[in-house]
Amino acid sequence: MDKPFLDKLRKIDPYVPGEQPKTDNIIKLNANENPYPPAPGVTEVLRTFDAAKLAIYPDANAKALKTAIAERFDLQPSQVFLGNGSDDVLALAFQSFFCSDKPILYPDITYSFYPVWCDLFRIPYENMPLDEDFCVNVRDYDKPNGGIVLPNPNAPTGRGVTLEFLEDLLQHNQDCVVIIDEAYVDFGAQSAVPLLDKYENLLIVQTTSKSRSLAGMRIGYALGSETLISTLEAVKNSYNSYTMDAIALAVGEASIRDEDYFQQTCRKVSTTRDRSAEALRALGFTVLPSLTNFLFVTHPNKKAPDIFAALREKGIFIRYFKLPRIDNYLRITVGTDEQMDKLIAALKEIL
Amino acid sequence: MDKPFLDKLRKIDPYVPGEQPKTDNIIKLNANENPYPPAPGVTEVLRTFDAAKLAIYPDANAKALKTAIAERFDLQPSQVFLGNGSDDVLALAFQSFFCSDKPILYPDITYSFYPVWCDLFRIPYENMPLDEDFCVNVRDYDKPNGGIVLPNPNAPTGRGVTLEFLEDLLQHNQDCVVIIDEAYVDFGAQSAVPLLDKYENLLIVQTTSKSRSLAGMRIGYALGSETLISTLEAVKNSYNSYTMDAIALAVGEASIRDEDYFQQTCRKVSTTRDRSAEALRALGFTVLPSLTNFLFVTHPNKKAPDIFAALREKGIFIRYFKLPRIDNYLRITVGTDEQMDKLIAALKEIL
């Protein structure tokens, strides 16, 4: 090799982002996006924002947005951390809190980014298998560990755990940081927020990408004790002081402040989800109980990759994971009623 | 200690972002922001952007903006990497390219984030002292190293090096990645872009924060060989696939595509800079030759921190660094002609 500079590059298996179909005439149920627009105040922000203000650096402490989030959860602004989507928040949290030689623990079937961050930051980890019904066994997490990360509800299964489960988990794990990834919590699951008062080692991560229709805006946040949040701030400020741009800060605030629109949108998605689950069961699908904006399904007579491909032919994009234990399952994002009717009609033809 | 989870947290000295004065009635010459608004197309983007599209994830590959940047520099889109401001790009570049046991090299007086990233990512480093006139000696960089990072022009000195200097540096350093940080290049310095064809180990980092008046929008980019850019993409995609939000992508494109406005704004700032340098010299200041949008000055009769404090009293904010070798210097961002006239008038009173 005559290019010695190559030896100094970071060796990494490239993580390839999921497919984003380019054509317009499709039904996109593959990325757990919200089929409804963000709160009306978001449009108002874009229409009235003074572009001249973009010449100035944004507020590195993001006081206005942190205050809006803190007020919504009855917390202090110093208990709120912001990032470019919850992926950014989680990546910083992994770097900040999982500095032990002991492995961190998380389910074997879960968000696919966890092992990627562990590899990137050289964090040892151990997977705890879900049971046959894809449920988490809380006793699996009673062993010595360097930290825990648990999505509630879990993805791509859609299954949630109760507040009692979460408190049990925390009671048995006070020597490490426990991250509850609540990306999908707003569609019917129980948030761990009421436990923040009691557990200084609890970090909750949420996002505006799903329930607030702001996937395109990259706004995620963490809620936790001042101890955890100030550690996150220190690491983040050593990385990049100004991660949140001025428009994201204003858009995020407009969204968080509109509780009515938020509740109404989440209700619409949950109603369509439950109605779609019934329709899928009527077609013979096994549908896991979902507390999210997606359904995780399998059919006894037709292989998941075949259904996936057949739907794709018809311009309907859903998600298939070629992974152990779930390679005969499909993840279907909940769209509008109209989109789901078209999906059901297409599935009827395919089956 | 009865909180063992604290042992697992990352220990880090918090980096505190610079002061952002809150009052409106001030002259802000402390953050190297551009006094002019961004290109008119930016306002147009904000006024016409369909908020409903924010429900969808942004293009992770940012094809449109990468293409605009590539076209401007006569490169391929695969030679362009995007990040949330050049700090994000530089932080990822440090992680991606400085993986050697040998120290990376950079000047003793330079951008204050370099040692912060070295500490965060545990990269060994060695500082090469600038000469008495704050110039870089290229022969200092002929020693074995794990990489080089050099801002051109340098900050906070404002001094630039020539293309010949850069080629000399690259010719003697082909076994490591050489990063040229061109945050301030557009105000009159020579860019290393013409060297990209010849040096596969060269990475150039630029930003829209200064010359394009988009500090509030967080858009930085790197230009380099496909080898370096694909490594950056792999690390970035393992961290967070969607760092650039949909509005930043559209705003960035509008700015990059308006070459006339860009040239005109840079010329205005440079003209005011040269005029202000003369006025400061007339007041007895020593003013370093600047190829940036700021001036680095010292006065023989009055201490820098005293001038800094006196200006602050008058509502004029500039920057003072209490650091070895430069603790009697002041960094003054170039504002509008009117702002600089007020600065000069205030300095006359103070001296």
Side-chain angles (χ1 to χ4, degrees), chain A residues 8 10 96 175 216 242 245, chain B residues 8 10 54 96 175 245:
Chain A
K8 299 184 178 80
R10 185 77 182 258
S96 303
D175 295 355
Y242 302 101
D245 69 62
Chain B
K8 300 185 178 79
R10 186 77 182 257
L54 292 177
S96 302
D175 296 355
D245 69 61

Side-chain angles (χ1 to χ4, degrees), chain A residues 38-222:
Chain A
V42 169
T43 297
E44 184 64 15
V45 165
L46 297 180
R47 294 298 170 267
T48 58
F49 198 97
D50 178 7
K53 290 204 173 139
L54 293 177
I56 305 298
Y57 281 93
D59 175 11
N61 292 317
K63 199 177 163 194
L65 179 52
K66 281 185 187 170
T67 302
I69 294 171
E71 285 175 12
R72 180 178 190 261
F73 292 101
D74 206 9
L75 300 168
Q76 297 302 312
S78 54
Q79 294 183 269
V80 179
F81 177 80
L82 286 164
N84 285 104
S86 59
D87 282 351
D88 183 39
V89 176
L90 285 163
L92 277 165
F94 272 54
Q95 273 184 289
S96 303
F97 302 137
F98 296 156
C99 303
S100 164
D101 293 332
K102 290 181 204 153
I104 69 160
L105 309 179
Y106 56 82
D108 62 337
I109 299 167
T110 194
Y111 186 36
S112 55
F113 243 120
Y114 298 161
V116 176
W117 290 320
C118 286
D119 288 343
L120 184 65
F121 305 128
R122 296 160 180 132
I123 299 166
Y125 63 95
E126 195 176 324
N127 291 141
M128 301 290 105
L130 298 178
D131 72 15
E132 283 189 5
D133 299 321
F134 298 117
C135 287
V136 184
N137 179 357
V138 70
R139 292 283 76 78
D140 287 346
Y141 295 80
D142 286 352
K143 57 201 286 187
N145 64 68
I148 289 171
V149 54
L150 184 73
N152 183 39
N154 197 5
T157 66
R159 299 207 76 142
V161 297
T162 62
L163 198 56
E164 291 68 39
F165 177 107
L166 293 169
E167 177 135 36
D168 189 356
L169 181 74
L170 281 155
Q171 266 168 353
H172 289 82
N173 287 284
Q174 298 191 39
D175 295 355
C176 65
V177 173
V178 176
I179 299 179
I180 306 298
D181 178 353
E182 297 191 347
Y184 297 102
V185 79
D186 296 321
F187 300 103
Q190 286 184 285
S191 170
V193 168
L195 302 174
L196 282 174
D197 272 351
K198 273 170 82 176
Y199 299 96
E200 205 181 336
N201 62 323
L202 165 63
L203 191 84
I204 298 168
V205 179
Q206 296 196 351
T207 177
T208 64
S209 296
K210 325 289 184 187
S211 55
R212 293 181 183 274
S213 312
L214 287 173
M217 205 65 240
R218 320 310 306 128
I219 307 167
Y221 52 91

Side-chain angles (χ1 to χ4, degrees), chain B residues 7-306:
Chain B
D7 297 337
K8 300 185 178 79
L9 306 191
R10 186 77 182 257
K11 306 295 179 294
I12 199 156
D13 286 330
Y15 176 90
V16 181
E19 169 187 49
Q20 285 286 26
K22 294 275 182 282
T23 42
D24 274 343
N25 256 336
I26 59 146
I27 296 180
K28 192 167 181 310
L29 305 174
N30 69 337
N32 294 345
E33 292 150 334
N34 199 308
Y36 302 106
V42 170
T43 297
E44 184 64 16
V45 165
L46 297 180
R47 295 297 170 267
T48 58
F49 198 97
D50 178 7
K53 290 205 173 137
L54 292 177
I56 305 299
Y57 281 93
D59 175 12
N61 292 317
K63 199 177 163 193
L65 179 51
K66 281 184 187 170
T67 303
I69 293 171
E71 285 176 11
R72 180 177 190 264
F73 292 101
D74 205 11
L75 300 169
Q76 297 303 312
S78 54
Q79 294 183 270
V80 180
F81 176 81
L82 287 164
N84 285 104
S86 58
D87 282 351
D88 183 39
V89 176
L90 286 162
L92 277 165
F94 272 54
Q95 272 185 290
S96 302
F97 302 137
F98 296 155
C99 303
S100 164
D101 292 333
K102 290 181 204 152
I104 70 160
L105 309 179
Y106 57 81
D108 62 336
I109 300 167
T110 194
Y111 187 35
S112 56
F113 244 120
Y114 299 160
V116 176
W117 291 319
C118 286
D119 289 343
L120 184 64
F121 305 128
R122 295 160 182 131
I123 299 166
Y125 64 95
E126 196 175 332
N127 292 141
M128 300 292 104
L130 298 178
D131 72 15
E132 283 189 4
D133 299 321
F134 298 118
C135 289
V136 184
N137 179 356
V138 71
R139 294 281 77 80
D140 288 347
Y141 295 81
D142 286 351
K143 58 202 285 187
N145 63 68
I148 289 170
V149 54
L150 184 73
N152 182 39
N154 197 6
T157 66
R159 299 207 77 141
V161 297
T162 62
L163 199 57
E164 291 67 39
F165 177 106
L166 293 169
E167 177 134 36
D168 188 356
L169 181 73
L170 281 155
Q171 266 168 355
H172 288 82
N173 287 283
Q174 298 191 39
D175 296 355
C176 66
V177 173
V178 175
I179 299 178
I180 306 298
D181 179 353
E182 297 191 346
Y184 298 101
V185 80
D186 296 320
F187 301 103
Q190 286 185 284
S191 170
V193 168
L195 302 174
L196 283 175
D197 273 350
K198 272 170 80 175
Y199 299 96
E200 204 181 337
N201 62 324
L202 165 63
L203 191 85
I204 298 168
V205 179
Q206 295 196 351
T207 176
T208 65
S209 296
K210 325 288 184 187
S211 54
R212 293 183 183 273
S213 311
L214 287 173
M217 205 67 239
R218 320 308 306 125
I219 307 168
Y221 52 91
L223 311 171
S225 61
E226 287 192 19
T227 309
L228 295 192
I229 298 300
S230 63
T231 302
L232 277 175
E233 292 286 350
V235 174
K236 172 260 192 187
N237 281 328
S238 299
Y239 195 94
N240 183 3
S241 316
Y242 302 101
T243 47
M244 304 298 293
D245 69 61
I247 307 239
L249 292 175
V251 158
E253 198 186 347
S255 170
I256 296 283
R257 296 269 183 210
D258 195 340
E259 186 68 22
D260 285 350
Y261 183 85
F262 166 73
Q263 294 292 353
Q264 180 191 318
T265 308
C266 291
R267 252 194 323 268
K268 272 158 75 177
V269 171
S270 311
T271 305
T272 304
R273 174 194 64 210
D274 295 342
R275 188 181 147 274
S276 305
E278 278 317 298
L280 288 163
R281 286 193 186 103
L283 291 179
F285 280 97
T286 299
V287 183
L288 262 65
S290 169
L291 293 170
T292 63
N293 68 336
F294 57 83
L295 294 163
F296 202 53
V297 307
T298 184
H299 201 280
N301 306 335
K302 202 164 169 84
K303 293 252 181 262
D306 296 341

